[in-house]
Amino acid sequence: MKKTLKSLVIALIAGVMAVSAVACGGTEKDKENKDNSSVATKKFEDIKIEASDDRDAPLGETIIKEVEDGEKDIEALKAVAKSEDLMIGFDLEQLGMEAMLAKKGENVYAKTSMFGITATMLALDGQVYLINDENKVYCKGTENDMAGFTAEELALDGAWDGELLGAWDVEIDGGTFRRLKVKASDGSTNFMYLYDDELKYVIGFMDEDEVIESEEQTDVTDEETEESAVMLVTAYRTTDIDESYFQLPADYKEVTADEYYELMYGDLGMDFEDETLDDTDIEVDDDIVE
């Protein structure tokens, strides 16, 4: 995960999967004439989205008008990512993945859930802890355990690292969003949707050459490479960060690393006792290797 969200948003969202659902018909030109005054204001939680594979309207939006101050929005997003205090959360429902990161100075709390496994990590006063909330235990870890969970790597900055192609006010289910379209440095195209100046959705698409290369190098089908996931951003802010994130729970018990991994992954049949294999552990048939 060293690639920040150039891999997480762009590769995971913008590349590996794309939005499948009913396209909302019509082009941007068809939709630009909608009067701004006709768009009602709604609470964000009451707005329903319907993802589309229409690259002119990935969330089925209707364009209200093009705006000229998109760079201001990009700079505001970048400023959040650079803050000493930061909270980031996102949900990739189509991939069954959730992640949350809270940061205050050098202390970092990260929690991820994927494939039914939840992992929690805490970097506190120079010490890393691995936490198992289900069994209320923790063990001491190393800096390597936090790789991929730094504020830089989860700050979503890869989504808007590139050329701003345009900015629009758009309407989705009665709510008015600011939509930013960026050609990312890796060649993908990303869309960011802000509601009341807060980042709410990120979605992206690979260019056609990348889709073809992905299909050639993997076993995924054409349908799978044409689909992408919508990232719901549940938090992207610098305030209201719960101090309890940066404390080891008083009722949790410290265990060894072996005990921790057994509790975390033992049911999956994984064996963590032998991390390396000697050359003598593997037999190679000379008839196979030529």
Side-chain angles (χ1 to χ4, degrees):
M1 290 182 62
K2 187 62 178 174
K3 300 178 181 177
T4 74
L5 242 131
K6 291 172 187 163
S7 59
L8 197 52
V9 170
I10 300 170
L12 202 60
I13 296 177
V16 182
M17 307 188 128
V19 194
S20 86
V22 180
C24 284
T27 65
E28 289 192 353
K29 291 184 179 179
D30 295 330
K31 301 169 184 176
E32 285 176 350
N33 295 323
K34 189 173 181 66
D35 185 356
N36 189 15
S37 63
S38 67
V39 178
T41 300
K42 298 178 69 173
K43 292 183 179 180
F44 174 74
E45 54 268 26
D46 294 333
I47 296 173
K48 306 300 182 184
I49 68 163
E50 185 173 6
S52 164
D53 58 4
D54 180 355
R55 296 194 182 199
D56 288 335
L59 294 185
E61 62 267 24
T62 300
I63 290 179
I64 300 170
K65 63 180 179 180
E66 187 169 7
V67 297
E68 301 296 331
D69 58 348
E71 292 289 353
K72 172 183 66 68
D73 296 309
I74 293 292
E75 291 304 314
L77 292 171
K78 290 180 179 179
V80 173
K82 296 176 182 178
S83 175
E84 285 294 307
D85 296 349
L86 177 64
M87 186 163 183
I88 304 167
F90 59 83
D91 183 353
L92 279 163
E93 183 177 354
Q94 287 167 273
L95 301 183
M97 177 181 181
E98 296 181 25
M100 192 275 283
L101 176 142
K103 174 179 176 288
K104 274 188 174 288
E106 297 299 318
N107 295 335
V108 179
Y109 172 91
K111 185 173 184 177
T112 61
S113 179
M114 194 169 188
F115 305 128
I117 298 176
T118 299
T120 304
M121 281 161 281
L122 174 64
L124 181 63
D125 299 329
Q127 175 62 57
V128 173
Y129 299 93
L130 309 181
I131 302 172
N132 182 321
D133 293 302
E134 182 178 357
N135 294 286
K136 293 189 174 183
V137 299
Y138 67 89
C139 74
K140 291 182 179 179
T142 68
E143 290 185 2
N144 289 335
D145 292 313
M146 288 295 289
F149 293 94
T150 66
E152 177 186 4
E153 289 162 329
L154 286 180
L156 304 176
D157 55 299
W160 48 78
D161 179 18
E163 176 189 1
L164 179 64
L165 299 181
W168 300 263
D169 286 339
V170 300
E171 185 262 335
I172 304 174
D173 190 31
T176 303
F177 289 76
R178 171 62 54 88
R179 187 187 76 179
L180 307 171
K181 181 179 181 181
V182 172
K183 184 70 172 181
S185 56
D186 72 344
S188 61
T189 301
N190 296 321
F191 292 84
M192 278 71 66
Y193 297 81
L194 286 71
Y195 198 74
D196 288 339
D197 296 323
E198 293 185 358
L199 182 65
K200 294 298 185 182
Y201 296 108
V202 179
I203 184 171
F205 299 91
M206 291 190 297
D207 62 29
E208 291 183 4
D209 290 340
E210 289 176 314
V211 171
I212 293 172
E213 182 179 354
S214 176
E215 293 172 356
E216 290 175 347
Q217 295 180 354
T218 68
D219 294 329
V220 297
T221 65
D222 291 343
E223 181 179 354
E224 288 170 331
T225 55
E226 290 173 357
E227 295 183 353
S228 121
V230 177
M231 170 182 281
L232 169 63
V233 180
T234 55
Y236 190 70
R237 62 177 186 268
T238 62
T239 59
D240 301 324
I241 302 173
D242 193 337
E243 293 287 347
S244 67
Y245 289 134
F246 310 102
Q247 302 171 12
L248 280 171
D251 58 339
Y252 282 29
K253 176 185 176 182
E254 183 174 0
V255 297
T256 67
D258 287 342
E259 290 172 323
Y260 168 85
Y261 282 112
E262 179 62 29
L263 287 169
M264 282 289 293
Y265 306 109
D267 290 342
L268 300 179
M270 298 182 181
D271 185 359
F272 295 93
E273 292 184 2
D274 297 321
E275 296 183 358
T276 61
L277 290 173
D278 294 330
D279 292 340
T280 54
D281 291 331
I282 303 175
E283 295 183 0
V284 179
D285 191 331
D286 292 337
D287 293 333
I288 298 176
V289 182
E290 297 182 358

